[in-house]
């Protein structure tokens, strides 16, 4: 069963936001990217939707979670600055259930590099545009991803 690793949608400029960065919401573009997730993954049999507790992450996956009848479960292992090995091993432990996990641009590349070092093959470069999806397919016996492929978000 795949793990869908999602980078949160566009949330405007960090430097222009005056409040707590954990509360920075999605921009209009980010909301369109969240709607795209529903188009891309809305027909999947998603068992869990997990997210960094940061607002921009939970807002990215909330429309999808609502569409598939799941709650978004926030977890600090997906937050900015989290340990990539802990995040990767936790995600693997959620298999063989089909999982959507939303995180940040500082963590996702490190998680992917950790999984690649453990034997996961990838199609192309380790990209991580805002709103993008990494589809991590694995061996159904132990849940470890064996192949990763990148889905680029829409341009607009």
């Amino acid at each position: 069963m795949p793990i869908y690793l999602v980078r949160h949608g566009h949330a405007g400029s960090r430097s222009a936001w005056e409040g707590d960065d954990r509360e920075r919401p999605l921009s209009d573009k980010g909301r369109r990217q969240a709607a795209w997730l529903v188009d891309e993954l809305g027909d999947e049999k998603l068992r869990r939707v997990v997210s960094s507790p940061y607002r921009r992450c939970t807002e990215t996956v909330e429309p999808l979670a609502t569409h598939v009848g799941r709650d978004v479960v926030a977890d600090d292992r997906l937050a900015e600055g989290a340990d990539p090995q802990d995040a990767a091993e936790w995600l693997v432990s959620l298999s063989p259930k089909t999982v959507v996990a939303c995180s940040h641009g500082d963590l996702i590349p490190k998680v992917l590099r950790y999984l690649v070092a453990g034997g996961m093959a990838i199609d192309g470069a380790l990209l991580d545009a805002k709103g993008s999806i990494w589809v991590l397919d694995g061996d159904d016996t132990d849940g470890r991803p064996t192949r990763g492929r990148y889905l680029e978000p829409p341009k607009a």
Side-chain angles (χ1 to χ4, degrees):
M1 301 288 189
I3 297 169
Y4 297 100
L5 184 56
V6 176
R7 180 160 179 206
H8 68 75
H10 187 267
S13 169
R14 184 184 302 254
S15 62
W17 178 253
E18 294 185 11
D20 181 346
D21 189 56
R22 293 174 184 262
E23 294 301 319
R24 185 161 44 104
L26 291 178
S27 65
D28 289 342
K29 179 178 180 178
R31 285 189 288 281
R32 287 190 301 274
Q33 290 168 330
W36 172 74
L37 284 179
V38 176
D39 292 341
E40 287 295 310
L41 302 178
D43 292 334
E44 298 296 320
K45 292 184 181 355
L46 302 176
R47 303 292 181 157
R48 295 195 66 180
V49 179
V50 296
S51 174
S52 160
Y54 286 51
R55 181 175 175 186
R56 58 192 173 271
C57 283
T58 59
E59 285 185 350
T60 297
V61 293
E62 279 174 345
L64 176 62
T66 298
H67 180 80
V68 299
R70 300 285 179 209
D71 292 327
V72 177
V73 177
D75 195 289
D76 286 333
R77 287 173 280 206
L78 296 173
E80 282 189 350
D83 180 88
Q85 182 176 347
D86 286 347
E89 292 301 327
W90 178 64
L91 289 172
V92 168
S93 77
L94 299 177
S95 282
K97 296 178 178 175
T98 303
V99 175
V100 171
C102 188
S103 191
H104 302 268
D106 74 319
L107 184 61
I108 290 173
K110 293 173 186 173
V111 166
L112 293 170
R113 282 195 295 274
Y114 174 79
L115 293 171
V116 167
M120 182 180 80
I122 60 167
D123 297 338
L126 289 175
L127 303 174
D128 67 334
K130 289 179 182 172
S132 64
I133 306 168
W134 270 93
V135 182
L136 309 178
D137 289 307
D139 181 345
D140 288 341
T141 58
D142 69 2
R144 295 208 70 80
T146 56
R147 176 161 230 79
R149 62 186 169 88
Y150 180 73
L151 300 179
E152 188 172 347
K155 300 287 184 203

